[in-house]
């Protein structure tokens, strides 16, 4: 299913390359409901930025506002530093690939791709050449006379992509483009979109609620929640240094350990677990003393057979051997269940065995105020 | 045909797929054969009686009908009336359908209720209501005179204009019901996609909405045309005696002159001429919208 992009026309390359998008203080309300609340976002030239968040957090609303389908109540949208707020959607030159592709069902593949060029009043020979070139690029040349209904999901998506690229958009918006594809095809399309985007130097926003997709395709990720951006950063930054409990839980697998924050000094926090174990963890912005939550990734925990300072007793649960690693469940005396990964060197410990769990050397877990003990 | 269903090996319900799907259509098919096809054949047979007493067969009625220019004019007037009603309902109804498509679900329910409401009233009542509205002392004339738009009352009753106006209101639901149903099924993302590709709202209307709405529009036009050309009550009450259309001729021959063979001949002429136009409308709808389904 992979397709080899041929080199695009130099004109296309020149105008697709290197546009920036800035969203400043954007607010959108539907009646009394606030869908977007003071959203700031800067997408750099040639970058893929993923909007990641649970369903209903406002991702589509943000895309639709950038495209001009939704009028914001507050804030501005700038492309290459110029405000586009007063331009209607048909004058914005923002390409969009819809989640359901939204191909024109009464037109052939070629007519779909030609639609934007015709609307711009391009000359016929130029349109024909451009359509042929785009269909070649997405490897759909032989399908040019088919109707969308006669294509597979992956093919329809490539038509939608070619159609959006035909108008040489300054920004490409992709709304959950892979959601309707099955797993293997999804990976192929992710690779291909990434390759095309790199080759054309496109600036793109990818909406997804799938963290793996965001991690694999995007240069940076904006995690959204309830109409706000919780954190914007590279995948590694979000994984290693989540700024909020929500981000810690949404990106990757994480364990939450209730604990008591006792004090902080020189970037280290002293905390105590419910069973009395005292721990010292690195903390850049430690929460105030009181109930707190420690979030620890599975690979940041290690199992030992004997107790030691900073190690707490656990009862071992199920083990899932996954190749070189074992995913292991472990239960604290207070009933909290942890998930951790063990290297598969020696024999696998028995279910129900007692052991001690400690932070791996150099691990940087994150510490947050406990939301149950105060207002969210 | 119930026998065929019962005889089929039915593991669970008696409704498991019968061997021939025609079996399920049989009850309706028999009713059609008895109450539609048979009378139609009788009608055709009656039109070939030579005399009004129906004693011998001959082509006299058909000769009498076809070789009289007056009859051709009545056919033309009838078809033209249907086309005018179609044009008026489309011009007023299509924008309403666009409004409906863009409206919120709550407003859509209100609009649909307003559209369907006329169907809940008898045609006779609606027709007489139009007499009150269009008459010399009617609402329209009071308004026109009151505003000083005309020195004398307009003559609307017993004119084709008045008839088309009232038919437009009376037949509007028939246009709108199929049209709204097709319109509301058009994916709204298609309009947004069109706009994002640089198309103006007008281009979107003509290149996306209209072709996709074509099947519903054609179905609505078919219903309006068939209904307007055969609207005997409205034609006689509002059009009056001076405007002659085929349905009135049929009634006059069958009920007043008691000349059944000639009435049958006119009835078949009405059926054929209306069907011919319907076929053209249906074909146009398929050409415009057929690419969606083909
Ligand atoms: N046209 C609308 N009218 C009212 N509420 C809307 C409308 N569109 C979206 N919403 C609401 O706004 C919120 C955000 O929607 P959306 O941007 O589609 O979320 P996402 O794409 O992240 O799933 C949702 O709670 C949704 O119900
Ligand atoms: Mg969405």
């Amino acid at each position: 299913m992979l397709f080899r992009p041929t080199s695009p026309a130099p004109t296309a390359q020149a105008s697709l390359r290197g546009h920036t998008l800035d969203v400043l203080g954007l607010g959108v309300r539907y009646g009394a409901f606030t869908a977007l609340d003071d959203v700031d976002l800067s997408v750099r030239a040639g970058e893929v930025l993923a909007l990641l968040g649970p369903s209903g957090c406002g991702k589509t609303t943000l895309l639709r506002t950038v495209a001009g389908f939704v009028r914001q109540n507050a804030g501005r949208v700038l492309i290459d530093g110029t405000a586009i707020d007063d331009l209607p959607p048909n004058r914005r030159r923002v390409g969009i690939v819809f989640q359901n592709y939204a191909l024109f069902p009464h037109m052939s593949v070629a007519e779909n791709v030609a639609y934007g060029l015709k609307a711009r009043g391009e000359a016929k020979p130029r349109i024909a050449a451009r359509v042929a070139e785009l269909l070649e690029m997405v490897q759909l040349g032989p399908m040019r006379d088919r109707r969308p209904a006669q294509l597979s999901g992956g093919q329809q998506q490539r038509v939608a992509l070619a159609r959006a690229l035909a108008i040489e958009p300054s920004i490409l918006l992709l709304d959950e483009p892979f959601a309707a594809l099955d797993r293997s095809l999804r990976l192929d399309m992710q690779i291909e979109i990434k390759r095309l985007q790199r080759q054309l130097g496109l600036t793109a926003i990818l909406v997804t609620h799938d963290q793996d997709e965001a991690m694999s395709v995007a240069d940076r990720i904006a995690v959204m929640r309830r109409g706000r951006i919780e954190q914007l950063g590279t995948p590694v930054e979000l994984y290693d240094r989540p700024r909020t409990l929500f981000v810690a839980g949404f990106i990757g697998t994480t364990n939450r350990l209730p604990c008591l924050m006792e004090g902080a000094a020189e970037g280290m926090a002293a905390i105590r677990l419910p069973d009395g174990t005292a721990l010292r963890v690195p903390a850049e912005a430690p929460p105030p003393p009181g109930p707190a939550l420690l979030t620890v990734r599975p690979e940041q925990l290690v199992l030992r057979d004997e107790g030691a300072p900073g190690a707490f007793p656990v009862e071992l649960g199920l083990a899932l051997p996954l190749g070189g690693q074992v995913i292991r469940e472990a239960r604290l005396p207070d009933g909290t269940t942890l998930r951790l990964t063990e290297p598969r060197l020696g024999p696998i410990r028995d279910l129900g065995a007692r052991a001690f769990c400690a932070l791996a050397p150099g691990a940087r877990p994150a510490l947050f105020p406990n939301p149950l003990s105060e207002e969210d | 045909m119930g026998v065929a269903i019962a005889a089929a090996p039915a593991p669970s319900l008696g409704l498991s797929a019968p061997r021939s799907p025609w079996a399920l259509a049989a009850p309706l098919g028999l009713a059609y054969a008895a109450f539609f096809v048979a009378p139609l054949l009788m009608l055709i047979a009656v039109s070939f009686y030579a005399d009004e007493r129906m004693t011998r067969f001959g082509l006299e009625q058909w000769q009498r009908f076809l070789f009289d220019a007056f009859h051709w004019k009545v056919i033309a007037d009838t078809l033209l009336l249907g086309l005018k009603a179609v044009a008026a309902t489309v011009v007023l109804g299509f924008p309403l359908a666009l409004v409906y498509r863009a409206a919120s679900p709550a407003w859509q329910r209100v609009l649909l209720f307003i559209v369907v409401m006329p169907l809940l009233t008898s045609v006779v009542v609606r027709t007489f209501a139009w007499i009150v509205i269009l008459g010399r002392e009617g609402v329209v004339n009071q308004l026109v005179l009151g505003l000083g738009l005309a020195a004398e009352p307009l003559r609307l009753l017993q004119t084709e204009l008045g008839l088309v106006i009232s038919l437009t209101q009376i037949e509007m639901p028939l246009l709108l019901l199929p049209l709204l149903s097709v319109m509301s099924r058009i994916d709204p993302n298609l309009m947004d996609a069109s706009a994002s590709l640089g198309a103006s709202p007008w281009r979107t209307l003509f290149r996306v909405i209209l072709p996709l709405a074509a099947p519903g529009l054609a179905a609505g036009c078919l219903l309006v045309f068939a209904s307007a050309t055969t609207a005997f009550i409205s034609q006689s009450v509002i059009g009056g005696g001076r405007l002659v259309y085929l349905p009135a001729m049929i009634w006059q021959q069958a009920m007043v002159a008691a000349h059944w063979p000639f009435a049958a001949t006119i009835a078949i002429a009405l059926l054929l001429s209306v069907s011919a136009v319907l076929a053209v409308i249906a074909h146009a709808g398929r050409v415009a919208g057929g690419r969606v389904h083909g």
Side-chain angles (χ1 to χ4, degrees):
Chain A
M1 289 312 290
L2 301 188
F3 47 90
R4 293 165 300 282
T6 56
S7 56
T11 51
Q13 211 154 5
S15 66
L16 284 170
R17 205 167 271 285
H19 297 273
T20 62
L21 174 73
D22 293 283
V23 168
L24 305 174
L26 204 64
V28 172
R29 282 194 309 273
Y30 295 118
F33 178 79
T34 303
L36 290 181
D37 183 11
D38 196 17
V39 168
D40 288 307
L41 193 66
S42 285
V43 191
R44 298 169 188 155
E47 166 183 65
V48 180
L49 184 125
L51 289 180
L52 175 65
S55 183
C57 69
K59 308 179 296 289
T60 297
T61 302
L62 180 48
L63 277 205
R64 293 177 60 81
T65 312
V66 170
F69 307 141
V70 174
R71 177 78 204 189
Q72 69 265 35
N73 301 97
R76 292 195 299 158
V77 178
L78 288 78
I79 289 182
D80 295 333
T82 309
I84 58 166
D85 305 301
D86 295 327
L87 292 181
N90 54 327
R91 309 245 316 273
R92 289 195 179 191
R93 272 211 176 187
V94 168
I96 179 160
V97 174
F98 292 86
Q99 180 168 353
N100 65 355
Y101 314 137
L103 297 177
F104 302 121
H106 56 303
M107 297 181 196
S108 70
V109 166
E111 286 167 330
N112 264 281
V113 176
Y115 188 89
L117 299 169
K118 281 190 191 151
R120 273 200 337 209
E122 300 265 3
K124 276 216 171 100
R126 163 119 176 89
I127 294 178
R130 227 8 225 143
V131 168
E133 177 191 307
L134 284 157
L135 288 179
E136 180 77 9
M137 186 169 79
V138 296
Q139 287 215 327
L140 282 176
M143 306 284 173
R144 54 172 298 125
D145 294 321
R146 297 240 189 133
R147 301 247 169 268
Q150 297 169 301
L151 301 180
S152 71
Q155 290 169 334
Q156 289 185 26
Q157 169 157 69
R158 284 190 257 157
V159 177
L161 188 64
R163 183 179 73 172
L165 292 178
I167 60 162
E168 294 165 9
S170 39
I171 309 286
L172 182 65
L173 307 177
L174 303 145
D175 193 357
E176 310 217 14
F178 311 113
L181 302 178
D182 55 44
R183 249 186 115 77
S184 58
L185 194 54
R186 198 180 301 179
L187 192 62
D188 285 349
M189 285 310 296
Q190 285 170 4
I191 293 171
E192 287 319 309
I193 285 196
K194 183 80 188 165
R195 179 179 299 176
L196 266 178
Q197 177 268 333
R198 277 275 164 80
Q199 185 197 3
L200 301 175
L202 266 172
T203 306
I205 298 187
L206 169 81
V207 161
T208 176
H209 60 250
D210 176 349
Q211 52 152 315
D212 293 333
E213 188 169 296
M215 295 268 192
S216 58
V217 180
D219 300 306
R220 288 191 303 156
I221 300 174
V223 178
M224 287 188 68
R225 181 197 192 198
R226 294 188 193 157
R228 297 180 141 271
I229 291 185
E230 290 260 316
Q231 188 171 357
L232 173 64
T234 63
V236 171
E237 278 166 13
L238 294 181
Y239 189 85
D240 288 344
R241 286 194 296 283
R243 262 211 305 269
T244 66
L245 193 57
F246 176 79
V247 174
F250 203 77
I251 307 272
T253 310
T254 202
N255 295 298
R256 292 171 169 213
L257 286 175
C259 59
L260 194 67
M261 172 79 194
E262 296 191 321
E266 291 157 18
M268 296 296 277
I271 59 171
R272 192 171 292 279
L273 296 181
D275 69 350
T277 311
L279 293 177
R280 280 173 63 77
V281 297
E284 281 162 23
L293 270 182
L294 186 69
T295 67
V296 199
R297 305 280 181 198
E299 67 275 12
Q300 292 174 332
L301 290 169
V302 291
L303 282 180
R304 305 164 185 274
D305 291 320
E306 293 96 35
F312 45 94
V314 291
E315 182 189 326
L316 297 184
L318 287 175
L320 294 178
L322 279 180
Q325 281 189 331
V326 179
I327 310 269
R328 165 72 82 173
E329 285 200 329
R331 191 141 47 146
L332 296 178
D334 68 353
T336 309
T337 304
L338 298 179
R339 197 167 287 173
L340 49 93
T341 52
E342 294 177 80
R344 198 174 153 184
L345 296 173
I348 298 179
R349 291 181 173 86
D350 289 335
L351 178 72
R354 306 208 160 264
F356 292 88
C357 190
L359 287 176
R364 295 181 63 93
L367 200 52
F368 301 101
N370 192 333
L372 295 180
S373 65
E374 56 179 83
E375 292 233 77
D376 192 4
Chain B
M1 292 299 106
V3 180
I5 295 174
S12 52
L13 285 167
L15 279 176
S16 72
R19 226 163 267 150
S20 153
W22 296 110
L24 290 175
L28 189 63
L30 287 176
Y32 260 64
F35 300 110
F36 181 69
V37 178
L40 189 63
L41 293 175
M42 282 165 67
L43 193 70
I44 294 172
V46 170
S47 79
F48 286 104
Y49 279 110
D51 57 333
E52 62 179 286
R53 297 275 186 80
M54 300 200 278
T55 52
R56 60 191 173 80
F57 287 105
L59 294 177
E60 274 83 349
Q61 304 311 327
W62 282 100
Q63 282 165 356
R64 178 181 162 197
F65 185 82
L66 294 176
F67 293 125
D68 187 338
F70 172 71
H71 297 141
W72 287 100
K73 181 176 179 316
V74 176
I75 291 185
D77 284 350
T78 307
L79 298 184
L80 221 52
L81 176 70
L83 291 180
K84 284 175 183 170
V86 166
T89 46
V90 168
V91 165
L92 294 177
F94 195 78
L96 185 65
L98 291 177
V99 170
Y100 178 86
R101 205 201 59 73
S104 70
W107 276 110
Q108 284 190 345
R109 275 195 295 278
V110 173
L111 282 174
L112 195 62
F113 179 71
I114 294 173
V115 165
V116 174
M117 207 162 47
L119 288 179
L120 306 178
T121 325
S122 149
V123 178
V124 179
V125 173
R126 279 186 278 162
T127 302
F128 279 102
W130 275 106
I131 290 186
V132 175
I133 296 171
L134 299 176
R136 268 185 78 85
E137 313 276 298
V139 181
V140 173
N141 270 325
Q142 284 177 7
L143 197 69
V144 168
L145 293 177
L147 293 176
L149 295 176
E152 299 192 356
L154 300 178
R155 190 180 165 79
L156 290 169
L157 282 181
Q158 311 205 346
T159 66
E160 199 189 33
L161 176 64
L163 182 53
V164 170
I165 290 175
S166 50
L167 281 178
T168 304
Q169 187 267 336
I170 289 168
E171 314 294 0
M172 188 61 89
L174 298 184
L175 177 85
L176 285 176
L177 287 179
L179 183 58
L180 295 187
S181 128
V182 169
M183 279 282 222
S184 58
R185 270 183 278 138
I186 300 179
D187 177 1
N189 281 347
L190 294 181
M191 285 64 155
D192 289 342
S194 173
S196 76
L197 291 169
S200 66
W202 285 107
R203 178 175 275 270
T204 303
L205 176 64
F206 285 107
R207 299 295 161 91
V208 179
I209 301 178
L210 212 48
L212 292 175
L217 193 60
C221 291
L222 286 182
L223 293 175
V224 171
F225 185 80
S227 180
T229 48
T230 55
F232 174 61
I233 296 174
S234 310
Q235 289 172 6
S236 341
V237 175
I238 297 178
R242 295 188 325 129
L243 298 173
V244 182
Y245 301 103
L246 286 176
M249 270 184 81
I250 299 170
W251 181 79
Q252 199 265 340
Q253 286 300 319
M255 310 308 285
V256 180
H259 196 319
W260 284 33
F262 194 50
T265 305
I266 306 169
I268 293 167
L270 175 63
L271 189 68
L272 290 179
S273 52
V274 168
S275 304
V277 177
L278 292 185
V280 172
I281 297 176
H283 180 71
R286 266 198 304 278
V287 169
R291 303 172 65 187
V292 182
H293 311 282

